[in-house]
Amino acid sequence: MIEKETHEFTGTSNGDNPFLFGHKEQIAFLLNCIRTNQIPNAWLFHGPMGVGKASLALNLGKVLSNINFLKKDCVRGISEEDIRNPKTTANINNVFYCRKRWDEKKKLFQKYISIEDIRVLNKKFSLSSTDNSYKVCIVDTTEDLNISASNSLLKILEEPPKNTLFILVSNNHQSILPTILSRCQKVGFQRLSEKDLRDICTGFEKENQLDQPIDASALTYCDGSVRKLLNFLDEDY
């Protein structure tokens, strides 16, 4: 789970569906970057809400935080299956998940990611990894940064430590500071296909031993969003 107070990633994926569906072209591109040692300082995952951008970022964090990049055979051996369904938990010393903090008194998330959150991030990532793996920081979502936090993050992106990867998740990248955008390699995502959503439903039916198939109208209602589909399944089944 993700600890709301410290934002540390403790080893399980964000969401109810650990296997990632769709986005074949994006995963192929990311895999090629990893295998050829062309990982940038920052990726920007942008696209519609609820299609799996943060889940993919967390899966990458699991994989990259555990791989010794001096062992070329291990790096070249990373597969699409490893990215879609990692068999390992995240190295908690090397993965940091930054999001709006949970206010226990008000029982809701704060309005912004603040500069204090970025300072904590900066302290954790001030030194590069000592075990030849990657340190991965996921910011979800980047448009939740206030101005001070955005400027503080920009300073880190301008001079990032070696073997440190920032994955910025965005549902509306046009609202992000242009100077931050210019520091990122952009990876665009689209809504999931009806086939992907149908595959998710099939897995849900098997796991929960449902006698009748899920109403096909649910796929239209979800509009390509796995998050909407999972919410629908949780509520109705």
Side-chain angles (χ1 to χ4, degrees):
M1 62 179 290
I2 297 168
E3 296 290 345
K4 294 174 181 175
E5 291 77 18
T6 65
H7 302 211
E8 296 286 350
F9 182 59
T10 60
T12 57
S13 65
N14 181 27
D16 299 320
N17 182 38
F19 189 91
L20 191 73
F21 286 87
H23 313 309
K24 191 171 184 65
E25 291 182 5
Q26 290 83 352
I27 292 175
F29 169 76
L30 297 169
L31 266 176
N32 183 64
C33 291
I34 295 169
R35 290 169 177 167
T36 58
N37 197 26
Q38 297 184 46
I39 301 174
N41 294 323
W43 272 319
L44 174 70
F45 288 3
H46 66 92
M49 182 184 297
V51 299
K53 301 184 300 297
S55 294
L56 176 54
L58 290 168
N59 284 4
L60 285 169
K62 287 183 180 182
V63 173
L64 296 179
S65 67
N66 283 287
I67 290 289
N68 183 340
F69 275 77
L70 293 181
K71 297 181 178 180
K72 302 301 181 184
D73 289 343
C74 292
V75 177
R76 287 192 290 265
I78 298 174
S79 68
E80 179 179 344
E81 174 69 16
D82 293 328
I83 300 299
R84 291 191 181 278
N85 189 23
K87 298 299 190 295
T88 183
T89 58
N91 181 337
I92 61 173
N93 294 317
N94 289 345
V95 180
F96 188 81
Y97 189 91
C98 183
R99 67 180 301 181
K100 292 185 291 187
R101 289 182 178 272
W102 177 257
D103 189 320
E104 189 61 39
K105 293 182 179 179
K106 296 181 179 180
K107 301 299 181 183
L108 48 77
F109 285 100
Q110 295 179 359
K111 190 174 182 180
Y112 298 108
I113 298 172
S114 70
I115 191 171
E116 286 76 18
D117 297 306
I118 303 303
R119 285 171 178 163
V120 172
L121 181 160
N122 192 24
K123 183 177 180 181
K124 184 176 179 67
F125 283 82
S126 59
L127 299 175
S128 58
S129 174
T130 58
D131 57 4
N132 300 311
S133 63
Y134 260 77
K135 285 191 172 184
V136 181
C137 174
I138 300 157
V139 180
D140 181 20
T141 63
T142 312
E143 50 264 33
D144 289 332
L145 296 164
N146 63 24
I147 293 298
S148 297
S150 295
N151 288 327
S152 181
L153 177 62
L154 177 60
K155 291 180 181 179
I156 304 173
L157 294 177
E158 288 174 341
E159 297 182 8
K162 184 181 178 182
N163 284 5
T164 298
L165 171 65
F166 290 84
I167 305 179
L168 310 185
V169 179
S170 174
N171 303 320
N172 178 23
H173 70 286
Q174 294 179 336
S175 65
I176 301 172
L177 285 179
T179 44
I180 288 181
L181 292 177
S182 68
R183 299 284 174 178
C184 300
Q185 186 178 72
K186 301 170 186 63
V187 183
F189 290 78
Q190 293 77 42
R191 301 182 190 282
L192 293 181
S193 68
E194 184 173 320
K195 179 184 181 303
D196 290 326
L197 295 179
R198 197 181 304 116
D199 288 342
I200 295 171
C201 286
T202 299
F204 186 89
E205 290 167 0
K206 290 180 179 178
E207 182 178 347
N208 293 276
Q209 299 180 341
L210 300 182
D211 295 330
Q212 295 183 345
I214 294 168
D215 191 339
S217 64
L219 304 185
T220 302
Y221 161 77
C222 293
D223 192 28
S225 168
V226 64
R227 181 183 301 175
K228 287 183 179 180
L229 177 61
L230 291 175
N231 287 341
F232 173 83
L233 296 175
D234 282 343
E235 291 174 3
D236 284 31
Y237 293 90

